[in-house]
Every structure is written in C-alpha cells, then in structure tokens.
Amino acid sequence: MKHGVISRLALSDCAKTCMLASSPVFRRQQFLIRSLGGAGDHQTNFARMQNLKSVEVDAESIVRAITRPLDPSRHKGQAGKIAVIGGCREYTGAPYFAAISALKIGADLSHVFCTKDAAPVIKSYSPELIVHPVLEESYSIRDEDKKSIASKVLSEVDKWMERFDCLVIGPGLGRDPFLLDCVSEIMRYAKKSNIPMVIDGDGLFLVTNNLDLVSGYALAVLTPNVNEYKRLVQKVLSSEVNDPDAPQELLSLAKKIGGVTILRKGKSDVISDGETVKSVSIYGSPRRCGGQGDILSGSVAVFLSWARQHILSADPNKNLSSKNPAVLGCIAGSALMRKAASLAFLNKKRSTVTGDIIECLGRSFEDISPAT
C-alpha cells in the first residue's frame, strides 16, 4: 500500500515537472538564465536570477554628490551644454520641455536642432534656447535632392557637435523616414565622438528598429515607457514582457544591447546597465500629463554630463553606488523629476500640467542640494 502511494506521488511530481518545463514562464526563465550566466551551472544561475532584485538607492545623496558647485571663477558653458535633436511640424512642445528643463536644472546652454517649420514656434516659447532650423522632412524636398540636403544637414550639426556635453535624441522628432535617416547619421557621429546620448520618444522608435545605433555604447541611455519597453523586449529578447517589474529582465535587456543604460519608467523607475539594477521610488505625482518624459530626458542629460565630470575628477571624498555616469545621471534625473512632480501636484492637483512641474524643478533641487 505504501509502495503504491509513493509511486503515485512520484508520478505526480514527474507530471508537475513536465508541465513546468513546457510552460511559457519556465521557458522565459531559462532564456533569462542563459542571458545572465551563459553555459555555466544552471542551478547556480537559476538561484542567482531568482535572488536578483533591484536595489533602492539613496538618490538624493547621489544628486548632492554629482551636482557641480556654483563657482564665480567658472565661465559660461562649464556647467553643461546640452543639445536636443527633435521638433517637427506636429510636435514642438516636447523639445522645448526637454531643453528648458536642462536650463532650469543648471546647464549653461541649451540648443534645439529641429525642422524649419518647428523653429519659429520653439523660438517663441523662450528666448533662452538656441534654436537651429536645420532638419528637413520628406514632404519639403525632392527625391533627387535628398542626398545633397542630407549632407548639408549633417554638416550643419557637425559644426556644433564637439561643443556638447550630452545629446537628447527624440523629443518631438516624428517618424518621417528622411528625417530619421539624418538623425541616424548624427547618432553615429556622436557615438564615434564619445558624446553621451539620452534617447526618448521617437528616438526609441528609431533605435528599436536600428539597434546598431547604440549597441555596445556605454554612454547611451534609453528611457522607455511601458509600451516602448514592451517593443524593445520583443525586438531584443524575442519574447513578451513577463513581469514589467522584473529586474532580471531589464538587466538581460541592457546586457543584450551591449551595456547601454536603460531607465524603465513606471511606478518606480528601474535602471540597469547590464551589470546592476537600481530603482528610484520617490513619490511623484498621480497626474500623468504628457511631457513629463521630456523633462526627465533633459534632466538625465544634465546629470549624466555632471556625473561624467565628477568621475573624471576622481574625487576620493565622494563614494557613489555606481561608477557609471549614465546610471548616476538616470538616478539623479529620476529623483529630481519625481520631487518636482510631487510639489507641482501639491499645488495644482488635477490641473497640474508639464509647465507646472518645470517651474518646480528649481525649488525641488534646492530642497535636495542647496546652492549655498
């Protein structure tokens, strides 16, 4: 009798094991195990994957550590020169939000490279921005002129490129094929010149379909929302998103693209460069008005450039949780954006819009890292 019970139990366990092995969840876990650990001990790799969790960082300490002090001996440009590549007929707000946020945080100069149709509109928003109407869309040029115009566009951008500390690619870019081809060449040049890039919005559409633009480039940051992240996972990992909060999936994705840094936006912002996974869970705002991602991209660009300068200065008195400036920039940008959104919502509640959050950047920054 006992022998029969044991046999039935053994058969039951075997059946469960077979069902597990054939399940989609199990197959996705096995894929992640291979991505994280290669062909080593699968049990060890499985345990490591199961134990991998994102680490909540002291984001405000990182903001204070990498923020450049105000110094009257410095000259214009030393606190950061940021360029936004984006802005077309339909979308003029997004590049403005990204560029003006960079200035509000502390960059000295903020440029926007946009189409000729978008330039007058963006100029009208603020005299603080340097606007370059050099990009072109297909509707305005003949096929036989595309090659020469593309060369002219790249030449115009190239004249400025070496001055910039970071590029923001994608806010308000649109999806015009000719325009995207030109921006692809700009990105290749930036990569070759070792200029950091923060990629958002339609820039992520471009990168998802042309991974070579960022593959293996440690100074590239991708900032996908839930849908953009889903498309990246489908493209790179050839699978569906299993658990949007799974840090091992994000780590595997960043590693597969060659060590780029990915900031996955959500209830908590989760960040990985393929080596570590960090999270920022500072409370933001329940108001989800459009444009907040543009503020974030401009913020990350400034902090990334500051973090890079900080690491190069090798200050031994400031211990940081990461030595990757892209990761540090993401953490700091996320923290400040969330603080500003929270403050704006406290004041405006349901009527909060992106401009209200931008106006709170300065006060939120002062609360974290006083200028004095």
Side-chain angles (χ1 to χ4, degrees), residues 48-64:
R48 183 173 66 176
M49 187 194 75
Q50 292 294 85
N51 292 329
L52 177 65
K53 296 179 180 178
S54 59
V55 176
E56 180 71 21
V57 293
D58 185 352
E60 293 189 11
S61 291
I62 289 175
V63 172
R64 288 188 287 270

Side-chain angles (χ1 to χ4, degrees), residues 141-153 178:
I141 55 177
R142 298 177 302 177
D143 288 343
E144 58 266 31
D145 295 332
K146 286 184 176 179
K147 186 175 180 179
S148 62
I149 290 176
S151 178
K152 183 179 177 181
V153 168
F178 178 75

Side-chain angles (χ1 to χ4, degrees), residues 107-255:
D108 286 338
L109 295 167
S110 194
H111 297 246
V112 178
F113 290 82
C114 60
T115 65
K116 292 176 181 178
D117 289 337
V121 182
I122 297 172
K123 284 176 181 283
S124 73
Y125 294 151
S126 172
E128 304 286 350
L129 306 179
I130 303 169
V131 181
H132 306 263
V134 299
L135 302 181
E136 296 277 5
E137 294 181 90
S138 300
Y139 76 90
S140 63
I141 55 177
R142 298 177 302 177
D143 288 343
E144 58 266 31
D145 295 332
K146 286 184 176 179
K147 186 175 180 179
S148 62
I149 290 176
S151 178
K152 183 179 177 181
V153 168
L154 295 174
S155 177
E156 286 294 319
V157 178
D158 179 50
K159 290 191 298 188
W160 292 88
M161 189 72 76
E162 65 179 16
R163 309 184 192 193
F164 299 133
D165 298 300
C166 189
L167 304 182
V168 180
I169 310 282
L173 185 61
R175 297 185 179 182
D176 178 81
F178 178 75
L179 178 54
L180 292 181
D181 286 344
C182 290
V183 173
S184 295
E185 292 304 314
I186 293 170
M187 292 177 68
R188 290 188 179 97
Y189 184 84
K191 184 178 178 181
K192 183 179 178 180
S193 303
N194 216 31
I195 299 170
M197 295 183 283
V198 178
I199 301 157
D200 188 44
D202 289 319
L204 289 170
F205 170 81
L206 175 60
V207 164
T208 301
N209 293 300
N210 301 272
L211 290 170
D212 65 293
L213 294 174
V214 296
S215 182
Y217 189 46
L219 291 175
V221 173
L222 312 183
T223 59
N225 60 25
V226 61
N227 290 320
E228 292 159 344
Y229 180 75
K230 179 181 178 180
R231 287 192 287 269
L232 271 171
V233 169
Q234 290 171 337
K235 176 74 173 183
V236 178
L237 301 182
S238 301
S239 66
E240 297 297 324
V241 175
N242 177 27
D243 176 3
D245 295 320
Q248 63 268 17
E249 183 175 67
L250 178 62
L251 184 143
S252 180
L253 180 63
K255 181 178 290 187

Side-chain angles (χ1 to χ4, degrees), residues 15-73:
K16 289 178 181 177
T17 301
C18 292
M19 289 175 64
L20 175 63
S22 63
S23 72
V25 173
F26 182 83
R27 290 197 300 271
R28 283 192 291 265
Q29 288 175 337
Q30 292 302 304
F31 173 81
L32 288 170
I33 290 170
R34 291 192 297 273
S35 298
L36 288 168
D41 183 344
H42 280 208
Q43 288 185 337
T44 301
N45 290 332
F46 181 76
R48 183 173 66 176
M49 187 194 75
Q50 292 294 85
N51 292 329
L52 177 65
K53 296 179 180 178
S54 59
V55 176
E56 180 71 21
V57 293
D58 185 352
E60 293 189 11
S61 291
I62 289 175
V63 172
R64 288 188 287 270
I66 66 177
T67 296
R68 301 211 70 186
L70 296 175
D71 186 342
S73 67

